[in-house]
Amino acid sequence: MNLFYNKEAVGDVAFLQIDPTPGEFSYETKGDVVEITRESQVVGYNIFNVSQHVEINGNGHIKLTESLLNGLQQLIKNAGFNYELDADLSPKFIVGYVETKEKHPDADKLSVLNIDVATEKLQIVCGAPNVEAGQKVVIAKVGAVMPSGMVIKDAKLRGVESSGMVCSMKELNLPNAPQEKGIMVLSDDYKVGQPFFEE
């Protein structure tokens, strides 16, 4: 679930993206709340005059907190919709440890990685030439919004499941990022599972 807000450019509207799916959408408006559905599945909400009801600051992708989520849920309920918001508020950019690296069965330049992120093990398909087992790396978990605006989703790359992304400095929009392709390898000072960015 992702929240976008840009009062200067768009106005006092919160865009709550529940399922970033393309297609034909249906819209139902009740008061300041517009429910967006696709084939009777709720995929998002547009909430107008949102700053009159909840405290919302920032520009672009807004970090969801428990109080902001509760406020938005109340607005949706008060408008007469009964959808229950269910968001994973855990950090989306975390330190992972590459336990194994295997060659992708159907693509020469891709590797299949098993990565420990402390709370779970993730299988991620990665095309970086410098990734190796034994490295600590930055993982963008499913649901993360990259600085480019791209949302990380579960995917299948050439037939192999991939849950998340191993990040380069450039993809994380870090200063002095090298131009050549390759993931960011972290020092041993980083702890597996810790958030990469200060929350």
Side-chain angles (χ1 to χ4, degrees):
M1 185 180 304
N2 294 293
L3 180 64
F4 300 93
Y5 182 71
N6 188 336
K7 193 169 185 178
E8 309 289 298
V10 186
D12 193 13
V13 189
F15 301 95
L16 190 61
Q17 184 186 57
I18 293 164
D19 183 8
T21 179
E24 291 289 313
F25 299 120
S26 302
Y27 303 89
E28 184 179 358
T29 305
K30 294 181 179 180
D32 279 341
V33 180
V34 180
E35 185 174 74
I36 306 162
T37 55
R38 180 174 185 263
E39 295 167 2
S40 73
Q41 203 69 11
V42 175
V43 296
Y45 286 95
N46 294 342
I47 302 172
F48 293 84
N49 304 310
V50 67
S51 69
Q52 294 175 22
H53 307 286
V54 296
E55 192 177 322
I56 186 166
N57 299 300
N59 188 1
H61 179 247
I62 306 296
K63 181 176 162 44
L64 275 169
T65 61
E66 204 166 327
S67 65
L68 184 52
L69 192 68
N70 291 341
L72 295 172
Q73 178 69 76
Q74 203 54 54
L75 289 174
I76 289 166
K77 253 190 183 130
N78 291 349
F81 295 108
N82 59 9
Y83 186 84
E84 291 290 331
L85 298 176
D86 179 22
D88 172 10
L89 300 179
S90 65
K92 294 295 179 282
F93 294 93
I94 57 172
V95 176
Y97 177 77
V98 183
E99 291 190 329
T100 62
K101 171 191 171 182
E102 290 168 15
K103 194 177 166 312
H104 190 293
D106 194 29
D108 286 343
K109 292 188 176 172
L110 296 178
S111 304
V112 182
L113 311 174
N114 280 305
I115 297 180
D116 180 10
V117 293
T119 54
E120 59 185 324
K121 305 277 175 108
L122 301 175
Q123 176 174 287
I124 297 179
V125 176
C126 178
N130 66 326
V131 69
E132 296 295 341
Q135 292 171 336
K136 286 184 179 175
V137 293
V138 182
I139 303 300
K141 289 171 63 182
V142 169
V145 178
M146 302 302 291
S148 65
M150 179 177 77
V151 179
I152 301 300
K153 296 188 273 189
D154 280 314
K156 210 178 234 190
L157 297 171
R158 299 292 288 269
V160 176
E161 302 282 345
S162 183
S163 295
M165 180 171 132
V166 186
C167 301
S168 69
M169 288 180 72
K170 194 174 177 187
E171 288 160 339
L172 294 170
N173 203 22
L174 296 176
N176 306 316
Q179 290 310 298
E180 60 270 14
K181 275 191 170 178
I183 50 107
M184 180 181 184
V185 180
L186 301 173
S187 70
D188 278 340
D189 302 338
Y190 285 89
K191 190 172 164 225
V192 172
Q194 81 174 72
F196 180 68
F197 295 113
E198 290 299 320
E199 293 297 310

